[in-house]
Amino acid sequence: MGHGHGHHHHHDEVGIGGGSDLPAALDLSTPDDELRPEDRSRRAFLRRAGLLGAGVAAAGALGAGVGGGAEPASAHGKDDEHDHASFNGGGSFKWLAGDHHIHTHYSSDGMYRVIDQVQHGRAHGLDWMVITDHGSEAHAKIGVDKVNPEILAAREALKDTLVFQGLEWNIPAAEHGTVFVNPGKNELSVLKQFENNFDSSVKAAGDSTPANEALAISGLNFLADAVKRGKVEHALFLANHPARNGIDSPHEIRGWRDAAPGIAIGMEGAPGHQAGGLSKAKGGPGAARGAYGNSPSANSFPYPLESYRTWGGFDWFTATVGGLWDSLLAEGKPWWITANSDAHTIFLETAVRGNSDFNELGYYLDPVHGGTVNTTNVDFWPGYYSKTHVGATTDSYLAVMDGLRLGRIWVDHGGLLAGLDMRVRKAGDRSKDGGTPLGGTVSVKKGTALELVISIDLAVLPNWAEFVPKLARVDVIRGKVTGKPADKDAFTTPNTRVEKSFEVGTGQKKVSFTYALGRAEQSYYVRVRGTDGNRKGPGYLGVSVDAEGPAIDVVGDADPWADLWFYTNPIWVETH
């Protein structure tokens, strides 16, 4: 997939600058030594090119809309200038599959060594992984330090695999979240300080109170400050299983996103624990798909009861067209979705935990053979079922984090797709690599005619359940950008719906759809999803919004292999 143009909006928006509207690299009121490394590199590039100074933005150095100028010189990976030369030249992204939510024997409910998880993830097609053991009082004392040698050993043993160190943050007043940083000399100290000062289990800050919500914001500000001061080159946060317990309220999510837009980038569109839905009749756990079998508590926001279940394996926030995710996107701000394994203990496992007292040691001893097949575990190995595909400019840690930050992400279950390219371009544009790809923003004059092009490589090889998944339908979803809602707890938006569906024929390896978006008269976004067509129903907000959406998953009987979906992140169209 090649790179298009028109990223200016979100490149700017996710920067971690001071009070200026300019990106940090262009804001000369910020000294060089206070910039994060990638912004220093970007500023150096612009300075050498003679582009730094007054009028840069007006001159278009920040990029342009459809068919506009070159991409700004932001850093992408280890070799910034080399990478950027390729980036400007319209070269292809590297689509790297990954998983940002994986547990080891340093979690009280985990079992495996780091190398166990990484080897399995690599075997199942992953390029990058994030080790995210649970934050806790015990983990805060020894976990971050103890697990690090295993992570370093895994990086050394599997050099073609990117292994990030992170943790699963118990968000004050809310659910869990992935926090991870770019590898470097301060990765441990930053993670340790973050866990000790901002984890709700360490600080006894789990209740949904304003003070605890403020502590969560302070944690994100701490990460943003660590990046700004160069302690770590990059840090990211994603909310995990956000609707599972109803305790991530809309205003909290908006608060995280707005407090640290370069750090808080999104949420799990689909949770892990997908094997849980396999019925006992099929030899499965007979539990809830995604471990979404809960009900409201005293700390829950008043979401409907349907929000406590997955829909087609996806979190209700994401699966509901016109729901919470769309109400966030309708503000015109980035908030991306991912999918991952949340792997703790694996379905059909024959190993068991090594004998130890977790509370005493802070970890379990290495797993041992248990002699029987476990059919009650609810997890798949990393990469076995869920993948987050990230468009990176190189195969480096920074490039993966940058791709995540910029929303170049699509996700799928069960290997439903082999590849995807999606972009918005001027109607009739047939130039190579023309148009704006996932996560980007097209900035055009009102009245400009645009079209959406979706190119999909269909699966031709069996997935890990040993069948070739068949994509049956692709849905185009469009919503108006209406700005901030009057109510920060809004979780619906009235202007988003499935606008067009394409049926996918059989016997093909590739399919491509071009959809005329018409003349742009106001700002909007467009996103895409697709399905194997095996299971469907009216969306939560009705057939006029989503006639054939994912169906709510039945606890104890929701075969994840018989209900496959993919989702993309959006592309925005901005009119002026």
Side-chain angles (χ1 to χ4, degrees):
M1 172 183 171
H3 186 270
H5 306 295
H7 278 286
H8 74 288
H9 180 74
H10 294 299
H11 268 290
D12 299 348
E13 194 163 48
V14 296
I16 309 173
S20 169
D21 289 331
L22 287 172
L26 297 180
D27 182 2
L28 296 180
S29 67
T30 304
D32 287 11
D33 59 4
E34 290 185 12
L35 293 173
R36 62 182 181 176
E38 63 186 45
D39 287 321
R40 279 202 297 274
S41 174
R42 183 182 184 185
R43 179 178 287 181
F45 177 93
L46 293 170
R47 191 172 274 139
R48 286 194 297 275
L51 293 172
L52 192 64
V56 168
L62 300 184
V66 173
E71 179 71 13
S74 57
H76 296 275
K78 298 173 183 175
D79 185 349
D80 297 336
E81 292 181 42
H82 173 77
D83 297 340
H84 193 69
S86 173
F87 205 63
N88 279 338
S92 297
F93 290 128
K94 295 184 176 185
W95 285 93
L96 304 179
D99 185 327
H100 68 74
H101 191 174
I102 299 170
H103 294 267
T104 75
H105 57 153
Y106 293 95
S107 292
S108 62
D109 51 1
M111 182 166 77
Y112 306 104
R113 296 160 294 201
V114 172
I115 193 66
D116 298 329
Q117 294 282 34
V118 174
Q119 280 186 314
H120 279 90
R122 189 72 189 95
H124 295 129
L126 297 188
D127 303 291
W128 58 272
M129 287 167 258
V130 187
I131 302 301
T132 54
D133 290 307
H134 291 289
S136 69
E137 197 167 350
H139 186 268
K141 291 177 182 175
I142 65 169
V144 170
D145 289 325
K146 281 286 188 181
V147 73
N148 183 255
E150 292 193 30
I151 290 174
L152 296 179
R155 289 172 182 166
E156 180 65 23
L158 298 167
K159 290 188 170 62
D160 63 344
T161 305
L162 304 174
V163 185
F164 293 92
Q165 180 158 0
L167 59 87
E168 186 163 25
W169 180 29
N170 296 297
I171 307 169
E175 260 284 358
H176 298 171
T178 288
V179 166
F180 66 110
V181 299
N182 189 66
K185 63 180 181 180
N186 295 319
E187 65 180 314
L188 285 186
S189 62
V190 168
L191 288 171
K192 285 179 68 172
Q193 190 174 352
F194 177 81
E195 184 178 12
N196 278 287
N197 291 346
F198 303 107
D199 189 277
S200 73
S201 69
V202 176
K203 306 299 289 186
D207 290 344
S208 295
T209 66
N212 290 340
E213 291 180 7
L215 182 63
I217 297 295
S218 297
L220 295 172
N221 287 336
F222 166 84
L223 294 173
D225 187 66
V227 174
K228 184 176 181 179
R229 295 180 184 281
K231 291 182 179 178
V232 290
E233 289 188 83
H234 218 327
L236 294 176
F237 158 74
L238 294 126
N240 294 340
H241 35 74
R244 185 177 66 172
N245 289 308
I247 58 176
D248 286 0
S249 63
H251 73 265
E252 287 175 279
I253 296 174
R254 286 186 167 92
W256 305 333
R257 182 201 60 191
D258 295 346
I263 304 294
I265 60 168
M267 62 186 178
E268 286 182 354
H273 308 313
Q274 292 281 333
L278 285 164
S279 68
K280 290 185 178 179
K282 293 184 177 180
R289 192 175 180 183
Y292 273 47
N294 300 328
S295 54
S297 70
N299 287 316
S300 297
F301 181 82
Y303 292 117
L305 293 177
E306 292 87 346
S307 71
Y308 291 82
R309 300 291 180 268
T310 51
W311 292 61
F314 277 69
D315 184 283
W316 183 79
F317 291 169
T318 293
T320 300
V321 174
L324 179 56
W325 186 32
D326 285 311
S327 77
L328 294 165
L329 298 179
E331 296 180 41
K333 297 179 179 179
W335 188 252
W336 316 123
I337 62 156
T338 60
N340 50 61
S341 66
D342 200 355
H344 291 73
T345 53
I346 305 303
F347 177 60
L348 301 182
E349 178 59 89
T350 56
V352 296
R353 291 188 182 108
N355 184 22
S356 72
D357 182 342
F358 184 88
N359 290 329
E360 179 183 357
L361 297 180
Y363 63 95
Y364 295 108
L365 300 180
D366 291 354
V368 298
H369 182 51
T372 60
V373 176
N374 188 311
T375 60
T376 61
N377 291 341
V378 299
D379 302 339
F380 292 126
W381 287 111
Y384 190 86
Y385 183 75
S386 302
K387 286 188 175 73
T388 294
H389 306 264
V390 177
T393 51
T394 71
D395 55 0
S396 70
Y397 287 93
L398 274 176
V400 168
M401 296 186 85
D402 232 15
L404 287 166
R405 182 171 63 84
L406 297 173
R408 292 196 294 261
I409 304 166
W410 61 273
V411 303
D412 71 338
H413 279 164
L416 182 58
L417 305 185
L420 179 145
D421 181 18
M422 165 178 152
R423 54 191 64 215
V424 171
R425 66 189 184 193
K426 282 185 177 178
D429 179 4
R430 297 293 181 267
S431 61
K432 185 177 183 297
D433 294 328
T436 295
L438 287 176
T441 298
V442 184
S443 183
V444 294
K445 291 182 179 178
K446 287 184 178 180
T448 303
L450 300 173
E451 61 189 18
L452 171 69
V453 181
I454 310 159
S455 301
I456 295 173
D457 295 328
L458 299 173
V460 295
L461 296 173
N463 57 21
W464 296 107
E466 302 301 338
F467 69 92
V468 180
K470 304 294 186 185
L471 179 67
R473 195 183 79 241
V474 174
D475 298 325
V476 178
I477 298 164
R478 175 152 51 167
K480 294 178 183 176
V481 172
T482 53
K484 288 184 178 180
D487 180 3
K488 290 184 178 179
D489 276 322
F491 58 88
T492 61
T493 184
N495 298 305
T496 300
R497 55 189 31 83
V498 176
E499 193 168 274
K500 175 70 178 178
S501 294
F502 295 98
E503 302 297 321
V504 179
T506 58
Q508 304 174 78
K509 294 182 178 179
K510 297 176 179 288
V511 292
S512 183
F513 306 103
T514 300
Y515 176 56
L517 294 166
R519 295 190 180 278
E521 300 297 342
Q522 66 180 94
S523 298
Y524 62 86
Y525 65 91
V526 59
R527 63 181 179 91
V528 164
R529 74 173 184 203
T531 174
D532 62 4
N534 290 337
R535 195 164 176 270
K536 58 191 176 185
Y540 178 76
L541 294 178
V543 294
S544 63
V545 175
D546 184 10
E548 294 185 315
I552 191 169
D553 289 321
V554 178
V555 174
D557 188 13
D559 185 343
W561 297 102
D563 186 17
L564 303 178
W565 293 78
F566 82 86
Y567 285 72
T568 74
N569 278 294
I571 300 171
W572 273 273
V573 172
E574 183 181 70
T575 59
H576 55 83

